[in-house]
Amino acid sequence: MASPEEPRVRLPRLKLDELLEELQARIDAARGTQERVRSLLDAILSVGRELDLEQALRSIVEAAAVLVDAEYAALGVIGPDGTRLSAFHTVGVTEDEIATVGPYPEGHGILGELIRHPQPLRMARISGHPASYGFPPGHPPMNSFLGVPIRVRDQVFGNLYLTEKRGGAEFDEEDESVLSTLAVAAGVAIDNARLYADSRLRERWLRANAEITHSLMSGSERAESLGLIAERAREIWGSALAVVAMPMEGTKSLTVEIAVGVDAEAHRGLVLPMHESLVGLAYTGAAPVTSDDVLHDPRISTQPPRFLGLGPAVAVPIGTGASGVRGVVLVAREAGRPVFLRKETEMLQGFAAQAAIAMELAERRQDAQQIALLEDRDRIARDLHDLAIQRLFATGMTLQSAGRLIERPEAAERVLRAVDDLDETIKIIRSTIFGLRARTGTAGSGLRARVVRAVGEAAPVLGFTPGVRMEGLVDTDVPPEVADHVVAVLTEALTNIARHARAGRAQVTLTTDGTEVCLTVSDSGVGIAPDGRRSGLRNMAERAAGLGGRLAVTSPAGGGATLEWRVPLPRERPG
């Protein structure tokens, strides 16, 4: 039989076991909390060490997923408009899944809820929230959700989104507290990374300005200096393409003188209208013009196609004020890259303003050199007129008088010939004086301006404005007599397109390499009928043959016609 004392002994022992188990549980909980705090501190230190913004954002997302044991994590960066996401960094989703789902979210549904109300948001099932409207096809299944905003200097930078806590559990208050703490540290890290990036950007900007100023003031060629501006702008602002467009005298157009980067050949030499191009809008408005998607921007003409694969872009005037704008620099990033922030645009504007000052100083130096040259020419012309011509004229008069005293006819005839030679020499010197005192022609009389005017005059008859591209030293290398033929052939070609081609677009290309000039006119019309009139083509061919060149007319497989008029340039041109 059991002793009567046995229940009294077992009851205290059971309570002791329960107390020991509870103590062990609390010790384990404290140890778990300690490990979680240590993990949080390690995450904060890891995130704080990053100075590169993109890498800092990646570290934040990875740390958040580990701290709350989430299968999927994302960090959405809120765009400048404050209503949608401009960038999205993910963890847990494979590249194949991303490709299947499609473009990253812009901030609708649950993601948008956190943008509109920047407060921590926790739920057991995403589908149960009124703002949820489902996932796109191929999206991984997600139920539990935890989101917290990231603030940088009291401004909401973006949001952390965590879904699918491992083990099927729900996110709890401790998860929310840990993630909120990480978000505070993330805000500090992002601010530090931004300040570091700004300082590096400003350093590169100052170095580039000094380099450009030195290039312009040291007498470098204009094309070389403009190329330096474009190249440095592309490098500093992380762009895929940079172009520099300058106004054409006597026209209402800009020409792309320099293009570097992706598909630069598609831009170089283009003549762009003032009101249907990003550079034109920046030039006429004397202010920066931005585009989130330059390929599909309705303000920009689609012809010729030139922005394939590009997205965010900004065009900034070189100089300030309507009368002080000297040109435009445009930079564009690849599609999917971040848009240009206001701070970046302002810094690019400052960069362009410094370049304009350097260009102004260089032009003033060139003007001073030109004035000195003209003054020297005037002095030479004055000396030739006052000294050389008078002395030659006096010598001629003396010889002419002495000729009457010479008895031998042969000798007298020689003296008279010498007098005639002196008269011819005087005429040559006077011609030289006239050349020294001659000035350049009027603005807008060059071949570039004449071609743009011819295209503009043909636009109302065509019903559209043809695209224009010019490459090479068109105004310098092509002499006036050849330039007249070029303009005549262009006018005839555009007239033929208007009368017979029924085209919806046309492209004019004028190039020269110093040895020959080539004019190409293509259209998207019905082509040249075999039995059609060819008097215009015959005139063009005769003009080419008269200059030692040739005319070729082809019909591309895609339809339309292409006219190529090519003539050699004289080896020695008057000047």
Side-chain angles (χ1 to χ4, degrees):
M1 288 182 66
S3 172
E5 298 295 329
E6 186 174 352
R8 296 179 181 179
V9 175
R10 183 177 300 173
L11 184 59
R13 186 176 300 170
L14 289 173
K15 287 184 177 181
L16 180 61
D17 291 341
E18 291 175 0
L19 290 173
L20 289 174
E21 289 177 0
E22 183 179 351
L23 178 61
Q24 185 63 43
R26 292 189 177 186
I27 293 174
D28 292 340
R31 185 181 294 113
T33 301
Q34 184 179 7
E35 291 177 355
R36 196 167 196 184
V37 170
R38 185 182 295 111
S39 299
L40 177 60
L41 292 175
D42 290 342
I44 292 173
L45 290 174
S46 175
V47 168
R49 281 195 295 263
E50 295 293 345
L51 291 177
D52 179 77
L53 181 58
E54 292 296 316
Q55 188 57 45
L57 298 179
R58 168 64 58 178
S59 298
I60 292 168
V61 179
E62 293 174 348
V66 172
L67 285 174
V68 299
D69 201 20
E71 187 172 352
Y72 304 107
L75 192 157
V77 180
I78 299 176
D81 60 359
T83 61
R84 59 177 180 169
L85 300 176
S86 62
F88 205 70
H89 304 268
T90 63
V91 168
V93 184
T94 65
E95 293 296 331
D96 292 339
E97 288 174 331
I98 293 174
T100 302
V101 172
Y104 282 122
E106 295 185 356
H108 305 294
I110 295 297
L111 305 188
E113 184 70 16
L114 212 59
I115 296 175
R116 293 184 292 272
H117 306 288
Q119 299 293 332
L121 178 63
R122 177 163 48 93
M123 63 187 74
R125 296 186 64 84
I126 296 176
S127 58
H129 195 279
S132 176
Y133 57 81
F135 297 104
H139 196 285
M142 296 180 180
N143 292 300
S144 55
F145 176 87
L146 174 60
V148 297
I150 298 177
R151 288 181 169 83
V152 178
R153 298 191 180 188
D154 297 329
Q155 295 289 328
V156 178
F157 172 83
N159 298 306
L160 275 172
Y161 306 108
L162 287 301
T163 61
E164 286 298 288
K165 188 174 178 68
R166 298 183 187 276
E170 298 179 10
F171 295 108
D172 54 24
E173 291 184 4
E174 188 175 339
D175 293 326
E176 181 179 322
S177 176
V178 168
L179 199 60
S180 297
T181 304
L182 178 65
V184 173
V188 176
I190 291 169
D191 192 30
N192 289 338
R194 277 179 163 180
L195 292 173
Y196 178 74
D198 288 347
S199 66
R200 292 293 303 274
L201 181 63
R202 193 171 297 278
E203 179 185 354
R204 293 196 299 269
W205 170 59
L206 293 173
R207 190 184 303 119
N209 270 327
E211 187 179 5
I212 291 167
T213 301
H214 179 268
S215 173
L216 287 165
M217 297 304 294
S218 63
S220 299
E221 292 292 333
R222 167 171 149 153
E224 180 181 346
S225 299
L226 293 180
L228 188 61
I229 292 173
E231 190 61 49
R232 294 298 174 265
R234 186 177 71 91
E235 292 174 358
I236 293 172
W237 279 271
S239 304
L241 171 74
V243 304
V244 176
M246 306 297 286
M248 297 178 63
E249 284 187 296
T251 71
K252 295 182 179 179
S253 303
L254 295 160
T255 179
V256 178
E257 295 196 10
I258 301 294
V260 294
V262 175
D263 288 337
E265 290 296 330
H267 297 262
R268 196 173 295 126
L270 279 179
V271 176
L272 300 171
M274 291 289 187
H275 301 289
E276 294 182 358
S277 63
L278 212 61
V279 294
L281 295 173
Y283 182 83
T284 55
V289 179
T290 60
S291 174
D292 291 349
D293 186 358
V294 71
L295 182 62
H296 301 100
D297 196 316
R299 298 171 297 174
I300 303 172
S301 60
T302 58
Q303 295 298 327
R306 57 194 184 277
F307 290 114
L308 188 65
L310 299 178
V314 58
V316 172
I318 301 176
T320 56
S323 61
V325 178
R326 298 176 171 275
V328 177
V329 57
L330 176 143
V331 289
R333 290 170 176 159
E334 295 174 341
R337 292 287 309 281
V339 298
F340 286 91
L341 302 175
R342 179 181 299 177
K343 184 181 295 184
E344 292 178 304
T345 302
E346 290 175 352
M347 194 169 291
L348 180 59
Q349 192 174 8
F351 172 79
Q354 290 293 329
I357 294 173
M359 292 172 69
E360 174 77 17
L361 293 174
E363 287 180 7
R364 292 293 174 265
R365 180 179 57 80
Q366 291 176 354
D367 289 344
Q369 292 176 345
Q370 184 70 15
I371 290 173
L373 176 62
L374 294 175
E375 289 176 347
D376 195 44
R377 286 183 175 183
D378 284 341
R379 180 188 59 77
I380 294 172
R382 187 169 56 252
D383 290 345
L384 286 174
H385 182 272
D386 295 343
L387 300 176
I389 289 182
Q390 289 184 9
R391 288 189 178 185
L392 288 173
F393 187 76
T395 302
M397 292 293 290
T398 302
L399 289 174
Q400 193 172 20
S401 300
R404 300 190 185 98
L405 304 176
I406 299 174
E407 296 180 355
R408 295 183 60 180
E410 297 86 355
E413 184 179 355
R414 289 185 179 181
V415 171
L416 291 176
R417 282 203 303 267
V419 172
D420 292 339
D421 289 342
L422 287 174
D423 288 340
E424 289 298 323
T425 302
I426 290 173
K427 291 179 181 179
I428 293 173
I429 293 176
R430 282 176 173 166
S431 177
T432 302
I433 293 172
F434 179 79
L436 287 171
R437 288 176 171 172
R439 296 295 182 262
T440 57
T442 58
S445 61
L447 180 55
R448 285 178 178 269
R450 294 176 66 187
V451 167
V452 173
R453 282 198 295 269
V455 172
E457 292 169 359
V461 181
L462 291 167
F464 59 86
T465 302
V468 182
R469 182 195 306 276
M470 286 182 271
E471 295 185 29
L473 301 176
V474 174
D475 289 338
T476 305
D477 288 344
V478 182
E481 60 272 16
V482 178
D484 292 340
H485 288 285
V486 170
V487 175
V489 170
L490 173 61
T491 303
E492 182 73 24
L494 294 176
T495 301
N496 288 344
I497 293 174
R499 288 179 178 175
H500 311 295
R502 299 199 296 274
R505 65 179 184 275
Q507 176 70 33
V508 176
T509 304
L510 179 65
T511 61
T512 180
D513 58 0
T515 61
E516 67 174 6
V517 60
C518 178
L519 173 67
T520 305
V521 182
S522 59
D523 65 78
S524 61
V526 297
I528 299 176
D531 56 347
R533 293 181 57 188
R534 294 180 176 265
S535 57
L537 294 177
R538 185 165 55 250
N539 292 337
M540 298 180 207
E542 290 174 356
R543 287 179 182 273
L547 296 172
R550 66 184 186 279
L551 172 72
V553 181
T554 58
S555 297
T562 299
L563 178 149
E564 184 181 87
W565 190 85
R566 186 185 298 269
V567 299
L569 297 176
R571 291 183 178 274
E572 295 183 1
R573 293 182 285 280

